[in-house]
Amino acid sequence: MFLGIIGSGTMGAVLRDYAKEDGTFDEIVMLEPLSDQPWPEKRPDLLVDFSHPKAIGRIYDYCRKKGGNIPVVLASTGYGPEEEKLIQLLEKICPLVRSSNFSRGMEVMNRLCREAKKELGDQCDIRMTEAHHTKKQDRPSGTAVSLCRVLGLDPFDESQVQSLRMGSVCGQHTVYFALEDEILEIRHTAMSKKIFAIGALEAGKKLMKELT
């Protein structure tokens, strides 16, 4: 099986190392989306992108030239309107799964926040803080934006969502439900980047199985 990892940055390297441990793929290639380096003639069994929003143009063009039907996992954040249009086009030709956070814990946190808002939303103030490492460019994080959709918050209103960029923090998201005389906190803390690689690869393998 042939895995194409888009982006050779930190997350790409973490995904490559985990994919080697996993053993599903006997061929793993790192693909640079924003350079002139050619992508392989051989058709990948799975593409996983942890690189940059601008990579979606190269991904779409490559998949289209290969006839489509290549499973694609998008794990980047910060897409603009033009990139969103390209994602919609890609979805028409390839099986695709996309998430701002592929960790199992965050999947559960979304469900818990949805339930807490249903029970407490009209009785409390809902606020969020998110923290990441100093090199993270988007603010607020894609995960925070996704949680805001669940909670009905404006991710760019600093009175509702606070973003911190500090040290080497992998990612921490805390949602507060502040009632009279009590506060409910729901928090997810990522201890390493490996959890995102595991979730993304498992999502990709699921897409592959659906094609067989």
Side-chain angles (χ1 to χ4, degrees):
M1 302 292 280
F2 177 25
L3 169 65
I5 299 175
I6 301 163
S8 58
T10 301
M11 270 308 308
V14 171
L15 176 59
R16 177 197 60 207
D17 293 344
Y18 175 69
K20 289 179 179 178
E21 292 178 22
D22 179 72
T24 300
F25 299 91
D26 51 25
E27 186 176 357
I28 301 171
V29 175
M30 309 290 281
L31 308 175
E32 290 299 337
L34 304 181
S35 75
D36 295 330
Q37 176 184 344
W39 284 15
E41 287 296 324
K42 182 178 178 181
R43 180 187 175 88
D45 296 293
L46 175 66
L47 290 173
V48 181
D49 175 36
F50 268 108
S51 61
H52 189 279
K54 297 296 182 183
I56 191 64
R58 184 89 181 264
I59 296 169
Y60 172 69
D61 288 341
Y62 180 72
C63 290
R64 182 172 52 81
K65 290 175 182 176
K66 293 297 178 184
N69 215 30
I70 300 172
V72 179
V73 175
L74 297 180
S76 295
T77 59
Y79 293 108
E82 293 303 314
E83 288 84 32
E84 292 291 348
K85 291 178 182 177
L86 287 170
I87 291 172
Q88 292 175 13
L89 291 174
L90 182 62
E91 284 181 310
K92 293 180 179 180
I93 63 172
C94 290
L96 184 149
V97 63
R98 171 188 178 187
S99 177
S100 59
N101 190 314
F102 275 98
S103 73
R104 293 174 61 193
M106 186 55 68
E107 181 181 348
V108 175
M109 184 174 181
N110 274 274
R111 294 202 300 267
L112 292 174
C113 286
R114 189 174 288 108
E115 184 63 24
K117 182 179 186 297
K118 179 180 177 182
E119 294 291 330
L120 305 173
D122 59 351
Q123 307 167 45
C124 68
D125 296 318
I126 304 175
R127 301 291 183 265
M128 185 195 308
T129 60
E130 60 96 357
H132 286 83
H133 54 86
T134 54
K135 294 182 180 180
K136 185 170 181 61
Q137 296 182 9
D138 52 330
R139 179 193 300 256
S141 69
T143 300
V145 172
S146 296
L147 280 169
C148 283
R149 294 192 191 104
V150 171
L151 297 165
L153 299 179
D154 179 353
F156 302 102
D157 183 345
E158 293 186 357
S159 69
Q160 299 181 33
V161 180
Q162 289 288 316
S163 298
L164 299 174
R165 297 294 176 263
M166 55 187 187
S168 58
V169 178
C170 287
Q172 184 176 86
H173 296 81
T174 307
V175 178
Y176 303 87
F177 297 85
L179 298 98
E180 187 72 24
D181 297 326
E182 60 178 318
I183 298 175
L184 169 66
E185 293 183 25
I186 302 176
R187 174 178 294 172
H188 178 271
T189 302
M191 302 297 188
S192 77
K193 295 179 182 295
K194 186 175 180 179
I195 62 172
F196 310 125
I198 293 172
L201 194 64
E202 290 304 312
K205 287 158 63 177
K206 184 177 179 181
L207 282 181
M208 291 166 59
K209 286 182 179 179
E210 291 173 356
L211 281 179
T212 59

